[in-house]
Amino acid sequence: MTTPIESLIQTGTKVWLDSIDPQLVDSNFKLGVSGATSNPVIVSGLIDSGKFDEWIEELTSQGKDANDIAWIITDRLVQRAQDVFMPVWERTEGNDGYVSFELDPLLEDPDRDMPHEERVKHYIELGKYWGLGRPNRMIKVPATRAGIDALEELCAAGITLNVTLCFTMRQYHAAREAVWRGAQRRDSLDGFKSVYSIFVSRVDVYTEKHLPDLSDAAQGQLGIVNAKNIWKDNADFWADKNLKLQQELIFASTGTKLPSDPPWKYVAAFAGDGIETNPPKTNDQVQESGKSFERQIDQMPPQEVLDELQAKVDYADLEKVLMEEGIAKFADPQKALLSLIESKKAAV
């Protein structure tokens, strides 16, 4: 009998796990999940669990500071997940089986107020340091101004990129153009792979708060419509490039935020193409649903809903608000992580 996740994969969707918890990576791999992503929130939660206190003790005894410990543990966890998914990467010849590694979110910390060129320089240096020589690791770079300005150099150097914190078509275009410029500087395009993480549920949280006058039919639809529009644009752009590997969208932030929404709302909406990076709870709920998924990626809401969203949504404001929130959601947990490690170091 075909399981719900298997039926989703059969539509053409790649399912990844939004976690690098070793136990969850192993269990989800058995379900057919073919990749994973990480971020500071995930790493902070794992270290807070106490499962890796021995690593902290080991690294503390070596004289490592909290920042070093945070990144060494992140590297170890990502590498372990890479080992699990390496057979997928080998079987698909580099088209799947990746694990994403997020670069330091404190580069964008407003409290640091780092100059733009310095941020770009650090993104390039860190991307090369953590990315080179690791064939099924994607380096996550945010679609901030500095992040986008680092993409061409990173791609030209052979780094496989996951451009994250994308909310709008403007960000996606800027990121894609920079990545493509870098790709064309490579000696060969055979190993060129890039993905663009379009955040979904946060967009619908934005409309609930900032566009309360949307009709019932339109409220809760912008996340899907926006991501599908970018998906179509992405498919059209790469169609004539004759590349060996797919340049794909990741549908991120696919866990529903409203109790009234079924937990598979976004999972079902994007079935058929691209990559869904789902929180562990969402994958569990999908698997328990008993549902059989069918292709919906190219289906849109009624035209009157599309017209209403087109008329009422200010994408510049949406991007500004969600980027500020997104940077805080990454920077604050990183600060909390460093503080947590300091407290654990003190107890050694």
Side-chain angles (χ1 to χ4, degrees):
M1 180 179 173
T2 303
T3 68
I5 286 180
E6 286 171 344
S7 78
L8 177 62
I9 293 167
Q10 287 172 7
T11 69
T13 290
K14 298 178 181 72
V15 180
W16 289 6
L17 176 70
D18 197 18
S19 176
I20 48 171
D21 181 307
Q23 289 180 310
L24 292 174
V25 167
D26 289 343
S27 61
N28 277 261
F29 177 67
K30 292 172 183 175
L31 298 177
V33 170
S34 57
T37 58
S38 67
N39 62 42
V41 178
I42 291 168
V43 175
S44 186
L46 289 173
I47 292 180
D48 193 30
S49 73
K51 293 178 183 178
F52 305 100
D53 284 358
E54 287 186 4
W55 287 1
I56 294 175
E57 292 175 12
E58 167 209 339
L59 295 167
T60 298
S61 70
Q62 295 173 9
K64 304 293 186 185
D65 65 19
N67 188 66
D68 286 340
I69 291 172
W71 290 106
I72 290 170
I73 290 177
T74 299
D75 182 47
R76 288 181 181 181
L77 290 169
V78 170
Q79 185 58 57
R80 188 200 174 281
Q82 285 176 241
D83 293 343
V84 173
F85 292 113
M86 178 56 83
V88 178
W89 186 86
E90 292 173 338
R91 186 180 69 248
T92 62
E93 299 181 329
N95 199 46
D96 197 2
Y98 288 92
V99 183
S100 292
F101 183 105
E102 181 108 37
L103 297 184
D104 191 349
L106 296 184
L107 294 180
E108 298 289 346
D109 182 12
D111 294 339
R112 286 192 173 186
D113 196 26
M114 188 181 293
H116 175 76
E117 292 305 323
E118 191 175 338
R119 290 182 188 183
V120 175
K121 178 185 174 185
H122 280 302
Y123 275 126
I124 294 170
E125 290 175 347
L126 289 172
K128 290 179 178 179
Y129 180 79
W130 292 116
L132 289 173
R134 298 171 170 92
N136 68 326
R137 175 177 294 188
M138 284 182 163
I139 294 299
K140 260 183 167 180
V141 180
T144 58
R145 195 163 65 93
I148 288 171
D149 282 353
L151 293 174
E152 180 178 344
E153 289 302 318
L154 285 170
C155 187
I159 304 295
T160 301
L161 293 163
N162 173 356
V163 187
T164 190
L165 276 189
C166 276
F167 296 101
T168 63
M169 187 76 78
R170 186 209 69 79
Q171 287 176 289
Y172 161 72
H173 280 165
R176 182 190 71 194
E177 288 161 12
V179 169
W180 183 227
R181 286 195 304 271
Q184 292 174 94
R185 290 168 52 189
R186 294 185 181 188
D187 293 336
S188 169
L189 290 172
D190 284 352
F192 168 53
K193 174 83 179 181
S194 63
V195 299
Y196 307 83
S197 291
I198 310 302
F199 283 59
V200 182
S201 63
R202 293 189 200 177
V203 171
D204 288 335
V205 171
Y206 169 88
T207 62
E208 284 277 340
K209 184 175 181 180
H210 298 274
L211 293 171
D213 62 332
L214 284 177
S215 68
D216 290 343
Q219 193 65 265
Q221 291 298 310
L222 183 63
I224 292 172
V225 170
N226 180 59
K228 287 186 175 184
N229 282 334
I230 298 172
W231 168 81
K232 179 67 165 58
D233 192 277
N234 183 72
D236 290 346
F237 178 81
W238 297 111
D240 64 352
K241 301 298 185 291
N242 298 315
L243 298 171
K244 179 182 176 183
L245 304 178
Q246 292 172 292
Q247 315 305 313
E248 300 181 274
L249 285 200
I250 286 183
F251 301 105
S253 179
T254 55
T256 52
K257 302 290 194 288
L258 300 176
S260 56
D261 286 335
W264 49 83
K265 170 184 174 179
Y266 300 118
V267 172
F270 301 116
D273 195 52
I275 302 163
E276 293 187 10
T277 176
N278 300 331
K281 182 180 178 181
T282 300
N283 274 345
D284 289 344
Q285 290 170 319
V286 166
Q287 195 70 341
E288 293 163 4
S289 71
K291 288 180 64 64
S292 180
F293 293 91
E294 298 179 353
R295 183 181 176 93
Q296 291 190 35
I297 184 65
D298 34 24
Q299 297 177 23
M300 283 289 199
Q303 189 61 46
E304 55 267 26
V305 169
L306 300 179
D307 291 344
E308 181 180 359
L309 294 175
Q310 181 66 32
K312 293 183 178 179
V313 175
D314 180 345
Y315 282 96
D317 182 70
L318 180 150
E319 181 182 319
K320 177 178 180 293
V321 169
L322 292 182
M323 284 300 288
E324 288 174 355
E325 291 177 358
I327 288 168
K329 286 177 187 288
F330 285 165
D332 290 349
Q334 187 71 10
K335 294 176 184 177
L337 170 59
L338 296 178
S339 177
L340 174 65
I341 292 173
E342 289 287 8
S343 67
K344 287 180 177 283
K345 278 170 60 65
V348 171

